[in-house]
Amino acid sequence: MLSSTMQNALNAQINKEQYSSQLYLAMSAHLDARKYKGFAHWLRVQAGEETEHAMKLLDFVMERCATLELKPIAAPPSQFDGVIQLFELALTHEKENTASIHNLFETARSEKDYASEITLHWYVTEQVAEEAVITAVLDHLRAVGDQGGAIWYLDHRMSKRQRGETLNPSDAY
Ligand code: OFO
């Protein structure tokens, strides 16, 4: 069994992961409509990964015979500024999610919930990877700018991301 504190905290994190998926889907649609098909593809794969993050926690809650409490998922924005600003927003979002995972980890520690703590190790590591890859995308975007032709080459590279991989644009050249 999970303590009610841990159960509530895990349910809240499931909702945050689902929101992340919605946010990346909205970002993907925004860029797709502006013909940035590669960035849109990358973000859509990211949305799928966020759903998997939610499902992994959901399975854990169920395995612990706790109550799954699904809440309404907040609507993400539907309009964004340019590609660079959009990825800046993505990085800010991931930093917030990292803080949320760290709080959850602290809760598991204070509840002496060792199983939750071990499960959350994966999320702590995953956040390091997510922040790193979005930072790398931003570095590339800032280097090429969002006006010239080079951004279309970067867009093409971003289209190479497969499900289950992060695809740092540096790896794709
Ligand atoms: Fe689930 O890692 Fe991003 O938000």
Side-chain angles (χ1 to χ4, degrees), residues 6-19:
M6 201 64 221
Q7 176 176 293
N8 291 340
L10 284 166
N11 275 306
Q13 186 62 36
I14 289 168
N15 188 271
K16 285 179 185 167
E17 300 291 348
Q18 290 180 305
Y19 175 76

Side-chain angles (χ1 to χ4, degrees), residues 131-142:
E131 284 191 30
V133 75
I134 294 176
T135 299
V137 173
L138 263 176
D139 287 345
H140 282 74
L141 275 168
R142 288 180 181 132

Side-chain angles (χ1 to χ4, degrees), residues 52-76:
E52 285 176 19
H53 298 171
M55 295 307 118
K56 218 185 256 268
L57 283 180
L58 182 152
D59 286 339
F60 179 70
V61 167
M62 307 290 278
E63 274 169 10
R64 300 290 301 278
C65 302
T67 304
L68 178 68
E69 285 176 26
L70 295 176
K71 302 265 170 35
I73 304 166

Side-chain angles (χ1 to χ4, degrees), residues 74-86:
S78 55
Q79 292 299 320
F80 301 89
D81 294 326
V83 186
I84 294 176
Q85 290 89 341
L86 184 146

Side-chain angles (χ1 to χ4, degrees), residues 153-154 156-158 160-161 165 167-173:
Y153 182 66
L154 188 54
H156 175 66
R157 299 313 306 169
M158 295 291 276
K160 304 294 178 199
R161 183 179 185 184
E165 68 172 28
L167 187 70
N168 180 325
S170 307
D171 302 334
Y173 293 114

Side-chain angles (χ1 to χ4, degrees), residues 17 20 24 46 50 53 93-94 97 123 126-127 130:
E17 300 291 348
S20 295
Y24 288 124
Q46 184 65 25
E50 298 297 354
H53 298 171
H93 176 73
E94 285 307 327
N97 201 39
Y123 286 85
E126 177 69 7
Q127 284 309 121
E130 298 228 320

